[in-house]
Amino acid sequence: MFVPVDGGDLAVEVHDGDTAPVLAVHGVSGSRKLWDRVAAHGFTLIAPDLRGRGDSCVLPGATTRQHADDMVRVLDALDLASVTVAGMSMGAYVAVELAVRHPDRVRALVLVDGGLPMPMHAHMTDELVAAVLAPQLAARERTWTVDEYLAVQAAANPLVDPSDPLTREYFAHDLTPDGHLRLSGETLAADTRDVVFGESRWRELTVPTWFVHAEWSIGPDSAPAYTVEQAAEYRAALPVLREPVLINEVDHGGTVMTAAGAAVTAEVLNEALK
C-alpha cells in the first residue's frame, strides 16, 4: 500500500500474521525487506520503505524526526491507535524519536542494535562518515544485475547467506528493473549524519523497552556496536529498559538477516507483545 506523507507517498508492506500489529522500521541503507525473516515467525508486521529507499526512493528529505512523522501517518492510515514498534540500526533511532514524541502511539519498543547512543559515534568525523558512505554512493553510479549486486553485498556481509531466497529478495528490492540502486544519496548522507551527530532522546523514553544487540559489528570477531558492559550501563540508566539480550555469533545485520539472529529478535518481540 501507499500512504500519503509530506512530499508524496510512502510504500508500506503489511505481513498478515497471528499477533497484534508491529511497526517495523529498517536501517539506514536497508528497506522493508529487512524484516522478512522476522515476519516469517508469524507476526502481523507493518514494514515501510523509508523515504529515499526502495519503493519510497523518490520521496525527498530525511531526518529521524521526519521518519517518525511518517510513521505516525502510517499508523493513521491503518487506523492503529497504538502498536509495538521494532527498529533496527537507524530504524531504532527513528523508533525512539517516535516513542518520545508520540508515546500514546507506542505501547512497547524493541531496539535492535541501535536507538541507544553507539560509543563509536563519539569518535566519528565528517571525513570518516564520508569514507563509510563512499562505497554505497559509488554503487549508485552504475547499473547492476541482481547476481552482481548480490555477490558484492555477500562479500561485504560475510554472515549473510547469498543462496537464501530471502537474501536474494532483499537485495533485489534495492534495484530498479533496469539495474539502478533505489537509494537516494542525499537521504543516505543526511540520515547517517543525523544518527551519528544528532542527539538521541533515549533518556526521555517512558514506554517499556527491550534492547537486542549483536556480538560483532561486521563479520566474525569484529568489535561490536555495543559491548555487554555498555548495554548494562544503559539498563541501569533507563528505568523502562528491560534486561538487554545479546545475540551470540551474529553481526549487526545478522540480528535480522540470519535465521539465528531473526529467531532471537522474534523471541524478544514476542515478549514485548505480551
Coordinates of all heavy atoms in Angstrom, one line a residue, residues 10 28 49-51 59 74 88 90 115 120 127 136 138 148 166 170-173 179 181 218 220 222 224 228:
L10 N 4.4 7.1 0.7 CA 5.3 6.1 1.4 C 4.8 4.7 1.1 O 3.7 4.4 1.4 CB 5.4 6.4 2.9 CG 6.6 5.8 3.6 CD1 7.9 6.6 3.3 CD2 6.3 5.8 5.1
V28 N 19.6 2.3 7.9 CA 19.9 3.5 7.1 C 20.0 3.2 5.6 O 19.5 4.0 4.8 CB 21.2 4.2 7.6 CG1 22.4 3.3 7.3 CG2 21.4 5.6 7.0
D49 N 9.0 1.1 3.5 CA 10.2 1.6 2.9 C 10.3 3.1 3.3 O 9.5 3.9 2.9 CB 10.1 1.5 1.3 CG 10.5 0.2 0.8 OD1 11.2 -0.6 1.4 OD2 10.0 -0.1 -0.4
L50 N 11.3 3.4 4.1 CA 11.5 4.8 4.5 C 11.8 5.6 3.3 O 12.3 5.2 2.3 CB 12.6 4.9 5.5 CG 12.4 4.2 6.8 CD1 13.6 4.4 7.8 CD2 11.1 4.6 7.5
R51 N 11.5 6.9 3.4 CA 11.7 7.8 2.3 C 13.2 7.7 1.8 O 14.1 7.6 2.6 CB 11.3 9.3 2.6 CG 11.9 9.9 3.8 CD 11.5 11.3 4.0 NE 10.0 11.4 4.2 CZ 9.3 12.4 3.7 NH1 9.8 13.2 2.8 NH2 8.0 12.4 4.0
L59 N 10.9 10.0 -2.6 CA 10.4 10.9 -1.6 C 11.6 11.7 -1.0 O 12.6 11.2 -0.6 CB 9.8 10.2 -0.4 CG 8.3 9.9 -0.5 CD1 7.8 9.0 0.7 CD2 7.5 11.2 -0.5
V74 N 1.6 6.5 8.8 CA 1.3 5.1 8.5 C 0.3 4.5 9.5 O -0.7 3.8 9.1 CB 2.6 4.3 8.6 CG1 2.3 2.8 8.5 CG2 3.5 4.7 7.4
M88 N 15.5 -1.4 13.7 CA 16.9 -2.0 13.6 C 17.9 -0.9 13.2 O 17.6 -0.1 12.2 CB 16.9 -3.1 12.6 CG 18.2 -3.9 12.5 SD 19.2 -3.3 11.3 CE 20.7 -4.2 11.6
M90 N 19.5 2.4 12.3 CA 18.9 3.7 12.3 C 17.4 3.6 12.6 O 16.9 4.6 13.2 CB 19.1 4.3 10.9 CG 18.6 5.8 10.8 SD 18.2 6.3 9.1 CE 16.7 5.5 8.8
G115 N 19.4 2.8 18.4 CA 18.5 3.5 19.3 C 19.1 4.1 20.5 O 18.8 5.3 20.9
M120 N 31.0 4.2 19.4 CA 31.9 4.5 18.3 C 31.5 5.9 17.7 O 32.4 6.5 17.0 CB 31.8 3.4 17.3 CG 30.5 3.3 16.5 SD 30.4 2.0 15.3 CE 30.4 0.6 16.3
E127 N 34.8 13.5 7.8 CA 35.6 12.8 6.9 C 35.4 11.3 7.0 O 35.3 10.5 6.0 CB 37.1 13.1 7.1 CG 37.5 14.5 6.8 CD 37.0 15.6 7.8 OE1 36.6 15.2 8.9 OE2 37.0 16.8 7.5
Q136 N 28.6 2.9 -0.9 CA 27.2 2.9 -1.3 C 26.9 4.0 -2.3 O 26.1 3.8 -3.2 CB 26.4 3.0 0.0 CG 26.4 1.8 0.9 CD 25.9 2.1 2.3 OE1 26.3 3.0 2.9 NE2 24.9 1.3 2.7
A138 N 29.0 5.2 -4.4 CA 29.6 4.8 -5.7 C 28.8 3.8 -6.4 O 28.7 3.7 -7.6 CB 31.0 4.2 -5.4
E148 N 25.1 -9.7 -9.8 CA 26.3 -8.9 -9.5 C 26.2 -8.2 -8.1 O 27.1 -8.2 -7.3 CB 26.5 -7.9 -10.6 CG 26.9 -8.4 -11.9 CD 26.9 -7.4 -13.0 OE1 26.1 -6.4 -12.9 OE2 27.5 -7.6 -14.1
L166 N 15.4 -15.4 0.6 CA 15.1 -14.2 1.3 C 16.2 -13.1 1.2 O 15.9 -11.9 1.1 CB 14.7 -14.4 2.8 CG 13.4 -15.1 3.0 CD1 13.2 -15.3 4.5 CD2 12.2 -14.4 2.4
Y170 N 15.8 -9.6 -0.7 CA 16.1 -8.3 0.0 C 17.0 -7.5 -0.9 O 16.7 -6.3 -1.1 CB 16.8 -8.7 1.3 CG 17.4 -7.4 2.0 CD1 16.6 -6.5 2.6 CD2 18.8 -7.2 2.0 CE1 17.1 -5.4 3.2 CE2 19.3 -6.1 2.6 CZ 18.5 -5.2 3.2 OH 19.0 -4.1 3.8
F171 N 18.0 -8.0 -1.5 CA 18.9 -7.2 -2.3 C 18.3 -6.9 -3.6 O 18.6 -5.8 -4.2 CB 20.3 -7.9 -2.4 CG 21.1 -7.8 -1.1 CD1 21.5 -9.0 -0.5 CD2 21.5 -6.6 -0.6 CE1 22.2 -8.9 0.7 CE2 22.2 -6.5 0.6 CZ 22.5 -7.7 1.3
A172 N 17.5 -7.7 -4.2 CA 16.9 -7.4 -5.5 C 15.9 -6.2 -5.3 O 15.8 -5.5 -6.3 CB 16.1 -8.7 -6.0
H173 N 15.3 -6.1 -4.1 CA 14.4 -5.0 -3.9 C 15.2 -3.6 -3.9 O 14.5 -2.6 -4.1 CB 13.8 -5.1 -2.5 CG 12.7 -4.1 -2.2 ND1 11.5 -4.0 -2.9 CD2 12.7 -3.1 -1.3 CE1 10.8 -3.0 -2.4 NE2 11.5 -2.5 -1.4
G179 N 18.3 -1.9 -13.2 CA 19.6 -2.1 -12.5 C 20.2 -1.0 -11.8 O 21.3 -1.1 -11.3
L181 N 20.4 1.5 -8.4 CA 20.2 1.4 -7.0 C 19.0 2.4 -6.6 O 19.1 3.6 -6.8 CB 21.4 1.7 -6.2 CG 21.5 1.3 -4.8 CD1 21.3 -0.2 -4.6 CD2 22.9 1.7 -4.2
I218 N 30.7 -6.1 12.0 CA 30.7 -6.6 10.6 C 31.6 -7.8 10.5 O 32.8 -7.6 10.5 CB 31.2 -5.5 9.6 CG1 30.3 -4.2 9.8 CG2 31.2 -6.0 8.2 CD1 30.8 -3.0 8.9
P220 N 32.7 -12.0 11.7 CA 33.2 -12.6 13.0 C 34.3 -11.9 13.6 O 35.3 -11.4 13.0 CB 33.6 -14.0 12.5 CG 32.8 -14.2 11.3 CD 32.7 -12.9 10.6
S222 N 34.7 -9.0 14.9 CA 34.8 -7.6 14.9 C 34.3 -7.0 16.1 O 33.4 -7.6 16.8 CB 34.1 -7.0 13.6 OG 32.7 -7.5 13.6
P224 N 32.0 -5.0 18.6 CA 30.5 -4.8 18.5 C 30.2 -3.3 18.5 O 31.0 -2.5 19.0 CB 30.0 -5.5 19.7 CG 31.1 -5.4 20.7 CD 32.4 -5.5 19.9
V228 N 28.7 -5.8 26.1 CA 27.8 -6.2 27.2 C 27.8 -5.2 28.3 O 26.8 -4.9 28.9 CB 28.2 -7.6 27.7 CG1 27.4 -8.0 28.9 CG2 28.0 -8.7 26.6

